[in-house]
Amino acid sequence: MDEIKRLAPEHPEWKADPIVAAVLNNDLKAVAKSGEKGLAKLVGLTHSGMTTTEFAERVTRWVNSSKDPRFGCHYDQLGYLPMKQLLGYLRDNGFQTWIVSGGGVDFMRVMSEQMYGIPPQQVIGSFTLGEFALNGEGSEIRKTMNGAYFDDSKAKPAAIHLFMGQRPVGAFGNSDGDVPMLQYTSTNPDYHTFGLLVHHTDAKREYAYDSHPPASGKLIDGLAQAKARGWVVVDMKSDWNQVFDPALCQNAP
C-alpha cells in the first residue's frame, strides 16, 4: 500500500481502478473486501514489471524510511529477540537455518541476513517466475506475475522439498499455515525432530490472538494438534522475558 501511494503520481490512470482508489483513500475496509483478487492486483502493480535489482532497491528504501506506527521503530528492528537467540544457538551447534514463509521471497531476501543471520539462498517464500534478458550492462531478471506460487499451508512442504532437497529436523511456526510444515518435519523417519508453535498471547508487549488475528496468522488447528504430535507451545506472555531487542528498538515495551 505504501508503494502504491509512492508510485501513484507516475500513473494517473491507476485512480480509475477501485482497489487503487481505496488504497489512496486509506479505505482499509474496501481493500480487505476486495479479497485475494484485490491483493493480487496490488501485488502485480508493485511487485512486477521491474528488474530484481530495482525491486531490491525499492524494498531497501521502504525499510529505511518506514516505521511501525505502534512501536516507532523500523520494521527490520522488530525481529523477535528469542527467535534470534534460537537461530544463533542452532547455528552455533552445527545446524543450518532457513526461513520458510508466505512472504515474498525477493522482499525477505533483502533483509534476511542482517535481521536474522540467514543468507538469501536459505530463504523460501512466495514467488513468481522471472524473465531473463541481456541488457547493455550485462544481464537481468525481470519480475513478472507468471507462475505465482503462494508458499503457505500445504505448499510449504512442497517448497521445502523443491528448494531445500531434504526434510528439516526442526520446524517453528505461529499459525495454522505452518501446520503442514510441522507435520512434514515431525514425521521425518530418519531423525529425532523438534516442533514449536509460538502462541501470540501478549497484547501489552506485542499482540494477543489465535482464532481472530488482526490480519493473518490464525492459530486453531495447530494448538489442537500440538500435544498429540509432541510440539512445544510457547506462550509469548509467560515464556518470553523480552519480545523485541531493546538495543534495536528502545520504544518497544
Side-chain angles (χ1 to χ4, degrees):
M1 291 178 64
D2 287 346
E3 192 69 358
I4 288 286
K5 294 174 183 178
R6 188 184 72 84
L7 294 171
E10 303 171 19
H11 300 275
E13 72 280 5
W14 285 4
K15 295 181 180 180
D17 190 303
I19 183 64
V20 174
V23 170
L24 297 178
N25 293 326
N26 293 312
D27 188 349
L28 298 183
K29 289 184 178 180
V31 174
K33 190 176 180 180
S34 70
E36 291 186 7
K37 184 177 180 181
L39 178 61
K41 181 65 175 289
L42 298 177
V43 170
L45 293 174
T46 57
H47 287 59
S48 65
M50 76 289 292
T51 68
T52 52
T53 300
E54 292 169 337
F55 181 75
E57 291 171 350
R58 292 184 180 190
V59 174
T60 300
R61 179 170 56 244
W62 180 83
V63 170
N64 291 339
S65 61
S66 301
K67 291 185 178 181
D68 179 88
R70 178 180 174 189
F71 301 119
C73 298
H74 295 288
Y75 290 99
D76 60 345
Q77 297 173 314
L78 290 170
Y80 298 134
L81 182 59
M83 177 180 174
K84 295 165 70 173
Q85 292 168 334
L86 172 62
L87 288 167
Y89 176 81
L90 290 171
R91 288 191 289 263
D92 288 346
N93 285 275
F95 289 88
Q96 194 176 83
T97 55
W98 289 62
I99 292 175
V100 183
S101 172
V105 66
D106 286 333
F107 181 93
M108 293 185 294
R109 283 173 172 168
V110 172
M111 49 189 176
S112 64
E113 193 151 30
Q114 177 179 336
M115 195 170 178
Y116 298 114
I118 295 178
Q121 66 270 22
Q122 288 166 212
V123 176
I124 299 173
S126 298
F127 64 90
T128 56
L129 300 177
E131 294 180 348
F132 170 79
L134 296 174
N135 58 33
E137 300 176 355
S139 62
E140 65 185 27
I141 301 292
R142 184 163 290 272
K143 291 177 66 64
T144 75
M145 287 297 289
N146 299 330
Y149 188 93
F150 181 37
D151 185 37
D152 193 40
S153 193
K154 291 183 178 180
K156 285 194 173 187
I160 289 171
H161 171 75
L162 179 64
F163 292 101
M164 196 181 297
Q166 66 182 62
R167 292 199 198 203
V169 295
F172 309 82
N174 70 340
S175 75
D176 286 344
D178 295 317
V179 166
M181 176 178 67
L182 269 78
Q183 293 171 334
Y184 182 59
T185 299
S186 61
T187 54
N188 188 331
D190 300 319
Y191 295 95
H192 292 295
T193 61
F194 185 81
L196 182 148
L197 282 167
V198 175
H199 190 187
H200 294 261
T201 56
D202 199 326
K204 182 177 180 180
R205 295 186 300 172
E206 200 247 6
Y207 296 96
Y209 62 88
D210 37 49
S211 58
H212 298 287
S216 63
K218 183 177 68 173
L219 180 59
I220 299 175
D221 294 341
L223 293 176
Q225 294 186 37
K227 185 175 181 180
R229 294 189 177 275
W231 301 335
V232 173
V233 176
V234 169
D235 184 295
M236 185 181 287
K237 185 176 181 179
S238 61
D239 293 331
W240 282 6
N241 291 329
Q242 290 180 305
V243 175
F244 302 110
D245 187 345
L248 295 177
C249 187
Q250 298 178 358
N251 298 330

